[in-house]
Amino acid sequence: MKYYKKPKNSEKVRFNLNDNKNTIFKVYENRKLDFMLRWVSENFDRLKVHDPEKRKDRWLEADFVTYRGTFKTLLSTPYDTSDGFIICASKFKGTIYLCAFDTPIKLSKSINLPPDLEKCTQWGHKFEQYMLSDNPNTQPNLSIPFNENEEFCCIFKSKLGEKKLLYGGQIDGISSQQQIQDTLAEKEVKLIELKTSYFKSITHDNLPYGKKGIFWWCQSYLSGIDTIVVGLRNVSGIVTKIKEIEVGKLTNNSMNPWNHKRCLGFLNGFLNHVKNIVVEDYDKCFYKFTYQPHRKIIEVNEEKPDPKSEYTFLNSSYINKAKEYFE
């Protein structure tokens, strides 16, 4: 967990995002839903259905459990259809677990990422080191290597219509004058999202041009974040200004080529669709939802549970811990 440290003069800074010689770069590893499942298994007391009668059919209050990224993908689908999506669903004791997987198109893009886009990603990580501190009373420490593999994640409870959602998401930092020793729950803190952007891609009203706003909104909306801190950079990766953007204003931009209500409508409709289709438990089958943008359809396949399948994600360790706790 890191603390946001606003520069004394946000209109005049000089952050060199190319200073990455000691950076420990991120190692990609598909852990599926493992981290989320581990947290849930350690917090059954907080998440369980309390009525003993209802608990016969349902163990957790949540209708859906997943990562924030899955919901972000679904929210942006009406306007971002280039990669499609693969989302698998498994039902266990009344709760549906969702796990997103890379489509062949997305996997190919990540393997063949152009050097310029890879550099922009690294710049975004480096910007965090300039803006975040280990302690609310100290300044950011640039003398230690920046480790991209370290992440601070939060778990969110939310509702969409009558559907209860539980999901985890990585958070860049918090704004707090007091040092937090345990958990953010029940504390007055402000979550902060950090972005870098080419200075000409932001309007005079401090809003992003085009569809960039939809991705910023989706991510922040799901996390209850109301402020995005943007480092305005030149083509060489030098940040010269810091701007704070109110997330609420992203949806009110008259130049938007997107509508957030349509995004929420698609997410709501998809989850209703999943709830109607996913009726068998995890040990009978799991369900694979594949969106093919060129055909504009969502295919659904029922697949037999197979521990060796790349799409099996509801691991036996979690199942055993749940049964041990509830039974």
Side-chain angles (χ1 to χ4, degrees):
M1 183 171 61
K2 306 285 185 181
Y3 298 83
Y4 170 51
K5 302 296 290 186
K6 186 175 181 178
K8 292 181 179 179
N9 186 355
S10 297
E11 292 295 314
K12 190 176 182 181
V13 299
R14 184 173 178 81
F15 299 159
N16 183 3
L17 304 181
N18 297 286
D19 186 14
N20 283 318
K21 57 181 179 295
N22 295 319
T23 296
I24 303 170
F25 293 106
K26 191 173 185 66
V27 178
Y28 176 77
E29 183 180 10
N30 185 2
R31 298 294 297 270
K32 300 182 181 178
L33 209 59
D34 290 359
F35 289 125
M36 186 70 192
L37 294 177
R38 190 180 77 182
W39 187 89
V40 172
S41 68
E42 294 171 352
N43 291 273
F44 284 137
D45 283 342
R46 300 184 184 198
L47 308 172
K48 66 184 178 183
V49 172
H50 291 281
D51 188 333
E53 284 300 313
K54 292 182 179 179
R55 205 184 301 162
K56 293 177 182 178
D57 301 314
R58 186 188 191 87
W59 283 352
L60 303 183
E61 288 185 336
D63 293 294
F64 293 92
V65 173
T66 189
Y67 285 128
R68 178 186 60 186
T70 305
F71 290 148
K72 178 185 174 185
T73 295
L74 291 167
L75 278 174
S76 60
T77 293
Y79 299 98
D80 178 45
T81 59
S82 56
D83 298 339
F85 63 69
I86 296 174
I87 296 174
C88 292
S90 286
K91 191 173 186 178
F92 177 45
K93 280 296 181 180
T95 294
I96 297 173
Y97 297 78
L98 301 175
C99 186
F101 294 85
D102 287 342
T103 63
I105 297 174
K106 187 173 181 178
L107 192 59
S108 175
K109 285 182 178 179
S110 63
I111 293 173
N112 303 295
L113 193 67
D116 287 350
L117 288 180
E118 187 173 1
K119 184 183 290 185
C120 286
T121 300
Q122 293 174 2
W123 283 348
H125 288 140
K126 186 64 181 181
F127 180 60
E128 295 178 20
Q129 193 175 22
Y130 280 99
M131 302 299 295
L132 302 172
S133 173
D134 289 328
N135 189 295
N137 301 312
T138 61
Q139 293 301 312
N141 186 356
L142 300 173
S143 65
I144 59 175
F146 180 68
N147 187 352
E148 292 183 355
N149 296 285
E150 293 180 344
E151 291 184 348
F152 170 57
C153 295
C154 292
I155 308 296
F156 299 92
K157 282 183 176 182
S158 185
K159 287 186 72 176
L160 184 61
E162 295 303 312
K163 294 176 288 296
K164 295 179 180 179
L165 314 179
L166 183 74
Y167 50 95
Q170 184 262 335
I171 299 298
D172 291 333
I174 67 171
S175 179
S176 172
Q177 299 302 313
Q178 303 297 320
Q179 187 165 9
I180 308 298
Q181 302 292 346
D182 45 14
T183 171
L184 295 183
E186 309 301 328
K187 293 190 171 60
E188 292 293 328
V189 297
K190 185 177 181 180
L191 304 182
I192 297 293
E193 178 67 25
L194 298 173
K195 299 288 185 186
T196 61
S197 186
Y198 182 51
F199 68 91
K200 287 187 178 180
S201 66
I202 300 294
T203 71
H204 67 280
D205 294 324
N206 293 331
L207 295 173
Y209 281 109
K211 290 184 180 179
K212 179 181 286 189
I214 190 175
F215 302 115
W216 289 11
W217 175 80
C218 289
Q219 186 176 22
S220 297
Y221 173 81
L222 289 165
S223 306
I225 292 174
D226 57 22
T227 302
I228 301 174
V229 179
V230 184
L232 300 183
R233 59 165 180 82
N234 60 22
V235 293
S236 301
I238 307 297
V239 172
T240 56
K241 289 184 180 181
I242 307 295
K243 296 293 183 182
E244 293 188 358
I245 294 178
E246 293 181 28
V247 173
K249 289 185 177 180
L250 293 176
T251 59
N252 296 323
N253 184 4
S254 60
M255 299 175 64
N256 273 349
W258 55 276
N259 186 306
H260 71 288
K261 293 181 180 178
R262 185 182 175 196
C263 299
L264 288 167
F266 182 85
L267 173 60
N268 188 50
F270 179 83
L271 293 182
N272 287 336
H273 183 56
V274 170
K275 207 167 184 178
N276 290 332
I277 288 177
V278 180
V279 293
E280 297 288 353
D281 269 1
Y282 75 100
D283 53 349
K284 302 282 181 49
C285 72
F286 68 86
Y287 301 77
K288 182 181 176 186
F289 295 81
T290 305
Y291 177 58
Q292 301 178 8
H294 60 286
R295 297 176 62 192
K296 295 186 178 179
I297 61 169
I298 297 176
E299 289 185 347
V300 185
N301 293 309
E302 294 183 20
E303 303 196 9
K304 295 296 182 183
D306 178 3
K308 296 181 180 179
S309 169
E310 65 175 306
Y311 296 113
T312 298
F313 65 90
L314 206 56
N315 60 58
S316 58
S317 173
Y318 175 74
I319 298 295
N320 292 336
K321 287 181 180 178
K323 288 181 176 179
E324 180 182 345
Y325 178 89
F326 286 98
E327 292 177 352

